[in-house]
């Protein structure tokens, strides 16, 4: 059983399109996150949710909108995709907010053409 | 804000030798320091962590040491094996505002058989 699963694993799309990445965790964790990893492997937090409530919104353009329908799911919707959005997006979860282990998904590689 | 620096950026070692990666941090109030390993095509995975009330922690072939005065911590891998080849990220907790982690930029470790 995959602890943190995200779909799709690969996404290729044109500039200007809207796309979504879904994430689900079956660990019973209260906190979920989205991270962006650029081509230089730098990991940058985008959002964190605790029990469906937005905790961190780290200067991300408002074209990115996270949605947490329940504490086991955190989806990421991106409007009007730009070339610079190409990256690997990782979903993660933790039992407590940043005071313990982060469990990452396998990543969703987004390529904007 | 918290600044976490990792060096070297790339490290090549012969199989069986030891590898050491160092990280420095700037926030003297940081109290949690995890290390994550990211294999190709996968999400980062916690391999070891240390809290500020401990100077050293060991788990089989890996160990982490923390020097709070100098604000640096190191990952030590002994008897390296080809499966240790990966990108390693250090992180430090940020004490102000919402609790979060600041990640270093990652080290590519290559173990040469």
């Amino acid at each position: 059983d995959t602890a943190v699963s995200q779909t799709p694993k690969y996404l290729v799309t044109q500039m200007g399109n809207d796309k979504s990445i879904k994430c689900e965790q079956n660990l019973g964790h209260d906190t979920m996150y989205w991270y962006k990893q650029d081509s230089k492997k730098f990991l940058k937090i985008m959002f964190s949710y605790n029990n469906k409530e937005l905790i961190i919104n780290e200067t991300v353009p408002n074209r990115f909108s996270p949605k947490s329908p329940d504490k086991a799911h955190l989806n990421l919707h991106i409007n009007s995709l730009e070339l610079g959005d190409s990256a690997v997006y990782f979903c993660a979860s933790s039992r407590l907010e940043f005071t313990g282990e982060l469990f990452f998904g396998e990543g969703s590689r987004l390529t904007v053409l | 804000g918290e600044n976490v620096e990792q060096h070297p950026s790339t490290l090549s070692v012969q199989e069986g030798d030891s590898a050491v990666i160092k990280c420095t941090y700037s926030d003297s109030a940081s109290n949690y320091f995890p290390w994550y390993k990211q294999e190709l095509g996968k999400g980062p995975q916690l391999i070891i962590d240390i809290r500020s009330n401990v100077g050293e922690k060991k788990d089989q072939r890996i160990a982490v040491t923390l020097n709070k005065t100098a604000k640096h911590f190191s990952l030590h891998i002994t008897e390296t094996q080809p499966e240790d080849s990966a990108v390693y990220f250090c992180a430090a907790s940020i004490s102000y505002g919402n609790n979060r982690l600041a990640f270093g930029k990652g080290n590519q470790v290559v173990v040469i058989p």
Side-chain angles (χ1 to χ4, degrees):
Chain A
D1 254 1
T2 306
V4 180
S5 58
Q6 43 184 122
T7 55
K9 193 170 172 68
Y10 299 98
L11 192 50
V12 180
T13 189
Q14 299 285 336
M15 272 176 57
N17 284 349
D18 303 338
K19 289 294 176 188
S20 293
I21 307 172
K22 294 185 176 181
C23 179
E24 175 183 3
Q25 55 96 1
N26 62 6
L27 298 166
H29 289 164
D30 285 330
T31 309
M32 295 185 71
Y33 314 80
W34 278 108
Y35 280 83
K36 179 180 181 181
Q37 187 172 48
D38 62 23
S39 58
K40 294 183 180 177
K41 300 289 187 183
F42 186 46
L43 267 173
K44 186 174 166 58
I45 187 160
M46 301 172 68
F47 301 102
S48 103
Y49 268 73
N50 186 273
N51 239 334
K52 303 193 298 174
E53 183 185 339
L54 179 65
I55 303 297
I56 293 173
N57 181 343
E58 192 69 12
T59 60
V60 178
N62 56 15
R63 297 183 296 103
F64 290 79
S65 51
K67 289 218 171 24
S68 182
D70 55 61
K71 72 174 195 176
H73 295 84
L74 181 61
N75 304 323
L76 184 65
H77 187 77
I78 316 169
N79 289 329
S80 304
L81 279 157
E82 300 177 357
L83 292 176
D85 297 332
S86 295
V88 181
Y89 292 85
F90 285 100
C91 177
S93 73
S94 66
R95 188 172 65 85
L96 298 170
E97 194 184 339
F98 283 124
T99 57
E101 182 174 359
L102 288 174
F103 290 80
F104 284 87
E106 299 257 292
S108 296
R109 180 176 291 278
L110 172 65
T111 303
V112 182
L113 302 174
Chain B
E2 171 73 287
N3 191 32
V4 178
E5 300 280 344
Q6 271 184 257
H7 40 95
S9 58
T10 305
L11 179 63
S12 295
V13 294
Q14 288 292 137
E15 183 178 354
D17 287 351
S18 296
V20 181
I21 306 169
K22 292 184 178 178
C23 274
T24 59
Y25 62 98
S26 58
D27 183 356
S28 56
S30 291
N31 59 9
Y32 176 62
F33 307 92
W35 282 92
Y36 283 81
K37 175 184 181 184
Q38 185 178 20
E39 296 176 354
L40 195 61
K42 298 198 171 180
Q45 186 173 14
L46 180 75
I47 53 171
I48 197 166
D49 56 10
I50 193 167
R51 297 193 184 268
S52 58
N53 57 348
V54 175
E56 183 174 356
K57 185 175 176 182
K58 193 172 179 183
D59 183 3
Q60 299 182 343
R61 294 187 299 107
I62 58 172
V64 56
T65 57
L66 171 64
N67 183 326
K68 284 175 58 181
T69 306
K71 289 191 279 189
H72 69 68
F73 56 111
S74 299
L75 177 71
H76 305 253
I77 309 172
T78 57
E79 299 170 32
T80 52
Q81 299 168 5
E83 53 265 35
D84 295 329
S85 296
V87 178
Y88 291 81
F89 292 94
C90 65
S93 60
I94 300 173
S95 58
Y96 55 86
N98 291 312
N99 287 332
R100 65 184 71 182
L101 287 174
F103 278 89
K105 292 190 176 180
N107 293 93
Q108 176 73 61
V109 172
V110 178
V111 179
I112 304 163

